[in-house]
Amino acid sequence: ERERERERRPGERMLFYSFFKTLTGKEVTVELKNDLAITGILHSVDQYLNIKLNEIRVVDDKRYPHLMAVKNCFIRGSTIRYVTLPQDAIDVQLLHDATRREARNA
């Protein structure tokens, strides 16, 4: 059901896509729906919010020791629960303005 709802609101996805593109090169933490959390440098993001991270490290390396050797990863957007962003990289006013524009156009 969530996937169908997401398909009905492509503008919302594009808002996040545009925002995440501005974070390329910044360190982010991605928490997956299976509770795995990975921190790394955002290399790229696509329109489906798939994310590629470089220089990754697992937040709970004792629980996931087999991932210690992995340095880069591709994460499918539909498996992501949260993305924690660096506070200094967020332009709140820009996000407010973009959200208002999207709401007007909906």
Side-chain angles (χ1 to χ4, degrees):
E1 184 175 306
R2 275 189 175 164
E3 291 299 321
R4 277 184 268 147
E5 185 177 323
R6 206 176 276 151
E7 289 171 9
R8 282 184 248 144
R9 299 184 313 210
E12 184 177 293
R13 189 175 347 155
M14 292 308 289
L15 174 65
F16 284 109
Y17 167 62
S18 299
F19 176 68
F20 278 116
K21 277 182 23 177
T22 67
L23 297 175
T24 302
K26 306 273 188 194
E27 185 175 87
V28 297
T29 300
V30 179
E31 182 182 327
L32 306 181
K33 291 178 181 175
N34 67 357
D35 295 325
L36 172 62
I38 302 170
T39 298
I41 305 298
L42 181 64
H43 178 268
S44 62
V45 61
D46 66 16
Q47 69 270 22
Y48 300 104
L49 301 180
N50 297 320
I51 291 177
K52 183 175 179 189
L53 296 177
N54 290 334
E55 301 175 32
I56 69 161
R57 61 188 183 282
V58 178
V59 172
D60 187 359
D61 56 353
K62 290 181 180 28
R63 187 171 173 194
Y64 302 98
H66 54 287
L67 294 175
M68 293 290 292
V70 178
K71 298 298 173 206
N72 306 309
C73 69
F74 176 86
I75 303 169
R76 184 181 166 116
S78 63
T79 65
I80 297 172
R81 181 180 296 146
Y82 299 113
V83 178
T84 304
L85 308 172
Q87 190 166 359
D88 64 334
I90 301 171
D91 184 346
V92 176
Q93 189 60 46
L94 181 68
L95 282 177
H96 283 308
D97 293 344
T99 305
R100 286 186 195 107
R101 271 196 307 276
E102 287 294 324
R104 274 192 303 247
N105 295 334

